[in-house]
Amino acid sequence: PGVGGSPRFCSGRVELEGMNRPVIDRIIRVDHAGEYGANRIYAGQMAVLGRSSVGPVIQQMWNQEKEHLKKFNELMVAYRVRPTVLLPLWNVAGFVLGAGSALLGKKGAMACTVAVEESISNHYNTQIRTLMEEDPEKYKELLQVIKKFRDDELEHHDIGLKHDAEEAPVYSVLKKAIQLGCKGAIFLSERI
């Protein structure tokens, strides 16, 4: 691990010979899009709740998401992966989701956090299984990054629960709707 406990990844370009290029492209593209979207969600939440008692909690989670996005920006260059063309959509949709959930109050924002982070950690687990089946040694560095970020997302999920996410208005409906949106965003970002 490097500074601040973030995983270090080899600098420059990665030797792609022998790697399953379609799998790597899909994983890095969608993870970059997800971290970009998460940054926009937290930006929206901070716009509404930044000066509230929960503002510092949201800021702390957002700071970790900024590090995740920075790492995936580096990985896109190292692995020569293009970003999804849907980034402008995720820019707006993420901010609207973050601000909209925050307008429901602290519990609404935390319900959004729980829904999104649960979806993302499950998605990271699927990617980890895929890379382990491919060749855990060949994808060792990428696996290290994904596992660390998955753990961070699970921590955010737990923070949301600790801050009364389940007490949000229509929590189960809100959670299911957000997670359905996450699944759609994942599906599209992997492919477009």
Side-chain angles (χ1 to χ4, degrees):
V3 176
S6 296
R8 296 282 307 160
F9 200 80
C10 57
S11 60
R13 303 257 176 175
V14 172
E15 179 55 51
L16 300 173
E17 189 173 319
M19 290 191 175
N20 186 335
R21 185 62 197 227
V23 167
I24 294 301
D25 285 359
R26 190 173 65 240
I27 285 174
I28 293 174
R29 180 176 303 111
V30 73
D31 290 355
H32 174 265
E35 297 299 348
Y36 181 83
N39 269 273
R40 300 304 299 147
I41 290 168
Y42 284 118
Q45 289 181 348
M46 285 298 290
V48 175
L49 296 172
R51 294 187 178 175
S52 73
S53 63
V54 77
V57 174
I58 294 170
Q59 185 66 58
Q60 177 189 5
M61 292 187 289
W62 189 16
N63 289 344
Q64 282 187 307
E65 298 297 348
K66 289 176 183 179
E67 289 300 314
H68 295 182
L69 181 58
K70 180 181 174 192
K71 177 53 69 182
F72 275 107
N73 282 331
E74 293 170 9
L75 292 175
M76 291 188 77
V77 172
Y79 282 92
R80 294 171 275 211
V81 175
R82 69 162 178 79
T84 177
V85 298
L86 299 172
L87 284 182
L89 177 61
W90 303 152
N91 178 31
V92 174
F95 190 88
V96 168
L97 177 58
S101 65
L103 287 171
L104 296 172
K106 171 188 120 170
K107 294 172 185 175
M110 291 299 141
C112 176
T113 296
V114 167
V116 170
E117 301 296 22
E118 185 176 294
S119 295
I120 299 307
S121 61
N122 288 338
H123 181 68
Y124 277 153
N125 280 334
T126 300
Q127 290 179 340
I128 290 165
R129 283 190 294 277
T130 297
L131 293 174
M132 292 296 287
E133 289 169 7
E134 284 280 330
D135 184 342
E137 193 55 38
K138 189 182 298 179
Y139 302 107
K140 181 178 177 181
E141 291 172 308
L142 186 55
L143 278 164
Q144 179 185 1
V145 170
I146 294 172
K147 286 177 183 177
K148 165 72 170 94
F149 292 175
R150 183 243 0 239
D151 293 347
D152 290 346
E153 308 305 358
L154 287 170
E155 180 185 340
H156 298 170
H157 170 272
D158 293 348
I159 288 169
L161 290 175
K162 183 176 145 190
H163 286 86
D164 305 320
E166 294 170 308
E167 295 176 21
V170 296
Y171 171 75
S172 61
V173 173
L174 183 63
K175 182 180 175 189
K176 285 179 182 165
I178 291 170
Q179 289 184 327
L180 185 61
C182 287
K183 284 183 182 181
I186 288 167
F187 179 84
L188 292 172
S189 294
E190 284 180 328
R191 291 159 176 81
I192 300 176

